Amino acid sequence: MLDNLPANPTGIGASILRKEDRRFLTGRGNYVADLKRPGMTFGVFVRSPHAHASLGAIDTEAARVVPGVLAVLTGADLAADEVGGIPCGWGITGRDGQPMKEPAHPALALGKVRYVGDAVAFVVAETAEAARQAADVVEVAYDVLPSVVNVLDAVRPDAPVLFDEAPGNLCCDWEMGDRAAVDAAFAGAAHVARLSLVNNRLVGNPMEPRAAVAEYDPAGDRTTLWTTSQFPHVVRLLMGNFVLKIPQHKLRVVAPDVGGGFGVKQFHYAEEAVVTWAARRLGRAVKWVCERSEGFISDAHGRDHVTEAEMALDETGKFLALRVSTLANMGGYLSTFGPNIPTNLYAPLLAGVYTTPAIHCEVKCVFTNTVPVDAYRGAGRPEATFVLERLVDVCAAELGMDRIAIRRRNMITADAYPYQTPVMVQYDSGDPVGCMDRALEIADWAGFPARREAAARRGVYRGIGISTYIEACGLAPSRIAIRLGARGGLYESAAIRVHPTGHVTALMGTHSHGQGHETTFAQIVSEKLGVPVENVDIVFGDTDRVQFGMGTYGSRSLVVGGTALSKAADKIILKGRKIAAHQMEAAIDDVVFEGGTFRVAGTDRTRSFEEISLSAYVPADFPLEILEPGLEEQAFYDPVNFTYPGGAHIAEVEIDRETGSVRLVSYVAVDDVGTVINPMIVAGQLHGGIVQGVGQALCENAAYDEGSGQLVAGSFMDYCMPRADMMPRMHVETHNTRCSHTDLGTKGCGEMGTIGSPAAVTNAIVNALSGLGITHVDMPASPNRIWRVMQTAQLPQ
Ligand code: MCN
């Protein structure tokens, strides 16, 4: 066992316990809702009960006289104060060269409401109870309009239109790939397999609902917003610059402990701007804490695609071309990353791990009377993987080929990397065949027929399904992002402050809200500088303390932020070598740094990291003539490419013939995450992501009522989250290839579970039901849906 321990017991590769867990497990977390400020007031939003309506008069009189009420603010007040609309961070361009339609998104509705939950007023009172009571008596005159919630209906010619400037409810008609090459390949194909599918709409439901507290200090003209955000600097930039016009140095945004985000807290929300504006107007601190049911109708939702996909094949099962057409729901307004998700984060990933030479994908981004749709863990990539891996199974079934054989026939082999796909991205490294083979072995794929027979004897259907996948993560490369419509570059920053005692504070532009950065980033510092992790503190989430950062999403923190950290550590080492060289009267090039010690190569002359740290600040023997005192360095890192984690997931299910209920009996995941910093944290990330993907496959569905536009799955009574008793023991393993362009060889891991699992589970379900002639089941495969599918299949023709 000892042989397997990494050289540095708290460095890269060590499965150490999470440093932050002591705080969380002993109830010492510091969340926004815990915050108390002097003279703090409380805010409650009045939200539209209608999906689509013209806004008439808002009568605030009854609310204003409720004891303790300080203000009842509406869109008209916002407009009078010249508060800007909530900006979208991405501007995609349609296939006709036209920019997407980007209608104004006022922070409180003006003129119209466009989804159930659209905020129309904000009540501030001395107590939360008074604010709630007053919100209940705000009288809003609505002139209800016909609404549309479903993308298929929204693009019909007679559909209600949300915005005059977006006829047909079309935000953008977008494409990627070579249509002519795809058409030519289809014309000459021996076989074409087709599939229509729905990618069900999801609500993120992080454990901690969103919250915001804002305060204005007139003495220093300083505004502070504490918010449940995954990217506080970006909130400062968007809200300060575009919405409230507060100079950046006068605005502090703090995202303290955040209890899960899963993408949902990665947007600049209207509520943050309204709370901050109200605090400045009133000169009092204002707190808003989202109720769970309010979160259902105001947190951005995820997924919601309707797709037609076709694969052209030759007679041997070789993929010739892939054609995909998707309608993607944007909801009632564009959220921060909204249009980027079903386009740039979706179409390139349709290449998967296959050598398909021609791909064309068209996406219509469609406005509907629903909550805005944006990133949810995986964001675009689970949707792409679901289309592709379901379609590959359909291809195998129609050609009478084995599901593994058809994958193997088309898979990119390890020696073919770097691999340029026909849809923009170039994969730098990977071994999908290796991942698949290992997963097949662990899942005992070969032994499945016997298990199926045994299940049949017990009167249940049993199925096995595989999903292979690749994802592009580590969101940055500015040169790619800007080409794809980002309204600014993406990179990450890290600063390392070495204290005179050799203790280290690292200031990160990323934000940890469950991913364990306080541990893994400390491990990187420990590895590079030779200091134990307990001597390293990781700071993030405060624009006053941290230089700048783009935050956490797209599994970017390690590969972009961690690389910046590594580069900052290299600068510390270089400065340390200069000081050490001076002290030991050696040439800088002769001083090496290993395991926390500076040494003149080939001699026993050494200086410890602590000694050099002290001399950096107490310059008794310091080369003042060539170096500034102090030991603090900063690095900004903008990568040249995404990283491409990938893997193979295998699920095995049993289905009750009478009720249609699915039991997940086995789950195997073999993933490629490059160099692993903390194997235990990576396994935890996989576990969580897989459970979320299983939730999408089996039970989660943000269903809207087509007539009224009400979110009918608007509480945990109706929206089924995955539960521990739905999960078998998961076997999670890595099969890693080094990323060629991150300093440490790392790839991201935070989303892979949600990317691989929906297709693996659904493929297993379809496999279980294949004897009935069933070729596809949409998600979520609830007992009701499966039972109905089984009834239809069993009807005599
Ligand atoms: N890690 C590692 N070795 C690797 C890759 C990652 O040890 N080769 C570690 C990292 O150092 C980090 C963790 O694994 O501690 C996740 O790293 P990374 O893949 O960089 O992902 P991010 O930290 O950027 O997190 C974002 C990602 C996303 S996009 C969503 S959504 C998500 C997720 O992570 N939301 C989460 N995981 C979550 N986990 C929790 N508990 N809560 C959320 O809201």
Side-chain angles (χ1 to χ4, degrees), residues 44 60 62 68 114 130 208 240 244 254 271 322 354 394 401 411 424 443 448 465 520 547 582-583 618 621 643:
V44 167
T60 58
R114 294 185 173 83
E208 177 209 24
L244 299 180
V254 187
E271 290 88 349
L322 174 65
Y354 305 116
V394 171
M401 279 183 81
M411 223 170 234
M424 190 186 72
F448 173 72
T520 48
Q547 55 291 347
H582 172 83
Q583 292 188 353
V618 188
D621 185 11
T643 64

Side-chain angles (χ1 to χ4, degrees), residues 261-262 377 514-515 517 520 554 557-558 673 675 677-678 685 749-750:
F262 308 111
R377 199 172 190 172
Q515 295 89 343
H517 295 178
T520 48
S557 302
L558 175 60
V673 300
T675 305
I677 305 300
N678 184 320
Q685 286 292 307
C749 80

Side-chain angles (χ1 to χ4, degrees), residues 13 18 20 206 230 258-266 375-379 381 471 473-474 510-521 523-524 551-560 645 672-685 688-689 692 736 745-752 754:
R18 298 199 329 173
E20 48 269 71
Q230 300 176 209
V258 172
F262 308 111
V264 170
K265 294 173 180 164
Q266 159 202 345
Y376 170 64
R377 199 172 190 172
R381 292 148 292 168
E471 65 165 308
C473 71
T510 49
H511 187 279
S512 187
H513 35 278
Q515 295 89 343
H517 295 178
E518 289 172 57
T519 306
T520 48
F521 288 156
Q523 286 181 259
I524 293 174
T552 287
Y553 43 87
S555 304
R556 68 191 301 278
S557 302
L558 175 60
V559 294
V560 194
D672 177 355
V673 300
T675 305
V676 178
I677 305 300
N678 184 320
M680 186 167 50
I681 285 181
V682 169
Q685 286 292 307
Q692 283 178 290
N736 299 317
T746 51
K747 305 178 184 181
C749 80
E751 293 161 289
M752 42 191 8
T754 50

Side-chain angles (χ1 to χ4, degrees), residues 412-716:
I412 304 163
T413 50
D415 57 1
Y417 289 85
Y419 185 85
Q420 178 63 51
T421 75
V423 269
M424 190 186 72
V425 285
Q426 187 184 69
Y427 304 151
D428 71 296
S429 59
D431 180 15
V433 179
C435 288
M436 181 171 79
D437 283 341
R438 179 68 185 133
L440 293 172
E441 184 187 335
I442 306 165
D444 185 22
W445 185 277
F448 173 72
R451 297 196 292 280
R452 175 176 246 172
E453 270 177 40
R457 285 196 292 277
R458 285 187 281 118
V460 294
Y461 298 122
R462 190 160 173 132
I464 192 166
I466 186 167
S467 164
T468 58
Y469 75 95
I470 193 158
E471 65 165 308
C473 71
L475 295 193
S478 291
R479 77 188 162 83
I480 302 180
I482 289 170
R483 185 149 54 90
L484 294 178
R487 290 177 167 158
L490 290 167
Y491 51 81
E492 207 37 80
S493 83
I496 294 181
R497 183 173 301 154
V498 181
H499 301 279
T501 50
H503 293 81
V504 176
T505 302
L507 303 126
M508 303 296 301
T510 49
H511 187 279
S512 187
H513 35 278
Q515 295 89 343
H517 295 178
E518 289 172 57
T519 306
T520 48
F521 288 156
Q523 286 181 259
I524 293 174
V525 173
S526 173
E527 180 77 28
K528 299 272 310 196
L529 301 184
V531 291
V533 281
E534 51 276 19
N535 288 358
V536 183
D537 265 3
I538 304 295
V539 172
F540 53 85
D542 184 341
T543 60
D544 266 12
R545 293 190 73 190
V546 173
Q547 55 291 347
F548 201 85
M550 293 291 180
T552 287
Y553 43 87
S555 304
R556 68 191 301 278
S557 302
L558 175 60
V559 294
V560 194
T563 305
L565 183 63
S566 167
K567 289 188 183 301
D570 288 340
K571 291 184 182 178
I572 294 283
I573 293 167
L574 180 59
K575 185 164 183 184
R577 282 175 52 221
K578 288 178 183 170
I579 302 169
H582 172 83
Q583 292 188 353
M584 296 189 283
E585 295 174 347
I588 293 165
D589 288 347
D590 290 341
V591 176
V592 293
F593 180 68
E594 280 166 1
T597 303
F598 296 91
R599 175 186 303 279
V600 180
T603 74
D604 58 1
R605 279 182 289 154
T606 61
R607 288 284 187 280
S608 70
F609 186 72
E610 289 76 10
E611 285 173 311
I612 293 299
S613 305
L614 188 60
S615 17
Y617 289 93
V618 188
D621 185 11
F622 190 86
L624 279 170
E625 56 288 358
I626 50 167
L627 276 181
E628 288 175 18
L631 198 49
E632 178 165 346
E633 297 286 355
Q634 179 168 309
F636 279 65
Y637 171 64
D638 189 343
V640 294
N641 195 355
F642 302 108
T643 64
Y644 298 95
H649 288 202
I650 295 179
E652 207 163 316
V653 299
E654 288 192 350
I655 301 180
D656 187 298
R657 289 175 189 238
E658 302 298 325
T659 63
S661 80
V662 176
R663 192 167 70 87
L664 187 57
V665 289
S666 140
Y667 200 96
V668 171
V670 177
D671 299 284
D672 177 355
V673 300
T675 305
V676 178
I677 305 300
N678 184 320
M680 186 167 50
I681 285 181
V682 169
Q685 286 292 307
L686 256 302
H687 288 156
I690 290 167
V691 174
Q692 283 178 290
V694 168
Q696 168 162 32
L698 294 184
C699 58
E700 292 185 52
N701 194 24
Y704 272 90
D705 179 67
E706 307 263 329
S708 65
Q710 295 292 332
L711 179 67
V712 288
S715 78
F716 286 145

Side-chain angles (χ1 to χ4, degrees), residues 90-449:
W90 216 276
I92 59 167
T93 303
R95 60 165 113 198
D96 50 3
Q98 292 297 312
M100 69 181 194
K101 299 288 188 325
E102 190 180 349
H105 179 188
L108 292 172
L110 263 183
K112 248 188 173 191
V113 288
R114 294 185 173 83
Y115 62 92
V116 173
D118 205 352
V120 293
F122 186 57
V123 180
V124 184
E126 296 286 355
T127 64
E129 293 68 28
R132 225 170 277 130
Q133 202 188 333
D136 282 348
V137 295
V138 173
E139 286 289 334
V140 185
Y142 295 101
D143 185 6
V144 177
L145 301 168
S147 60
V148 64
V149 294
N150 178 316
V151 280
L152 285 170
D153 294 334
V155 294
R156 289 194 217 286
D158 56 347
V161 175
L162 273 78
F163 298 99
D164 293 341
E165 61 267 49
N169 293 316
L170 207 56
C171 163
C172 195
D173 185 357
W174 180 94
E175 69 177 346
M176 181 175 271
D178 186 341
R179 180 191 285 270
V182 168
D183 289 349
F186 271 81
H191 185 83
V192 173
R194 295 192 171 83
L195 181 65
S196 305
L197 51 80
V198 172
N199 203 293
N200 43 323
R201 189 182 180 103
L202 303 176
V203 184
N205 285 318
M207 196 178 289
E208 177 209 24
R210 288 187 296 128
V213 174
E215 185 175 64
Y216 179 62
D217 168 18
D221 185 26
R222 295 266 300 163
T223 304
T224 304
L225 167 68
W226 291 266
T227 180
T228 49
S229 178
Q230 300 176 209
F231 61 178
H233 287 88
V234 183
V235 170
R236 185 181 65 167
L237 190 62
L238 295 177
M239 186 179 84
N241 223 23
F242 299 102
V243 188
L244 299 180
K245 286 123 191 157
I246 305 171
Q248 296 284 285
H249 67 300
K250 297 288 184 191
L251 177 59
R252 175 183 180 200
V253 178
V254 187
D257 285 330
V258 172
F262 308 111
V264 170
K265 294 173 180 164
Q266 159 202 345
F267 320 121
H268 171 40
Y269 281 97
E271 290 88 349
E272 293 166 328
V274 172
V275 169
T276 310
W277 165 64
R280 285 165 61 89
R281 248 178 97 110
L282 291 167
R284 301 269 302 266
V286 178
K287 178 187 232 179
W288 164 72
V289 179
C290 189
E291 304 272 333
R292 177 63 68 185
S293 52
E294 186 182 14
F296 268 97
I297 53 165
S298 63
D299 290 358
H301 291 180
R303 318 284 194 253
D304 203 345
H305 289 194
V306 176
T307 295
E308 304 281 339
E310 298 175 288
M311 184 76 87
L313 302 100
D314 73 9
E315 52 291 325
T316 68
K318 192 86 183 147
F319 303 156
L320 303 176
L322 174 65
R323 184 189 278 148
V324 174
S325 174
T326 291
L327 292 175
N329 204 332
M330 294 286 97
Y333 300 95
L334 293 183
S335 175
T336 311
F337 291 93
N340 180 45
I341 306 303
T343 53
N344 298 316
L345 286 182
Y346 171 68
L349 279 305
L350 289 165
V353 289
Y354 305 116
T355 55
T356 318
I359 298 175
H360 182 259
C361 174
E362 58 181 22
V363 181
K364 287 189 171 63
C365 298
V366 180
F367 291 113
T368 66
N369 295 112
T370 61
V371 177
V373 182
D374 206 319
Y376 170 64
R377 199 172 190 172
R381 292 148 292 168
E383 295 92 311
T385 302
F386 189 68
V387 170
L388 186 62
E389 289 299 303
R390 275 275 47 243
L391 187 58
V392 170
D393 267 22
V394 171
C395 292
E398 292 187 1
L399 288 182
M401 279 183 81
D402 176 74
R403 289 176 288 163
I404 303 304
I406 199 168
R407 286 181 167 81
R408 210 180 285 287
R409 171 121 186 73
N410 290 286
M411 223 170 234
I412 304 163
T413 50
D415 57 1
Y417 289 85
Y419 185 85
Q420 178 63 51
T421 75
V423 269
M424 190 186 72
V425 285
Q426 187 184 69
Y427 304 151
D428 71 296
S429 59
D431 180 15
V433 179
C435 288
M436 181 171 79
D437 283 341
R438 179 68 185 133
L440 293 172
E441 184 187 335
I442 306 165
D444 185 22
W445 185 277
F448 173 72

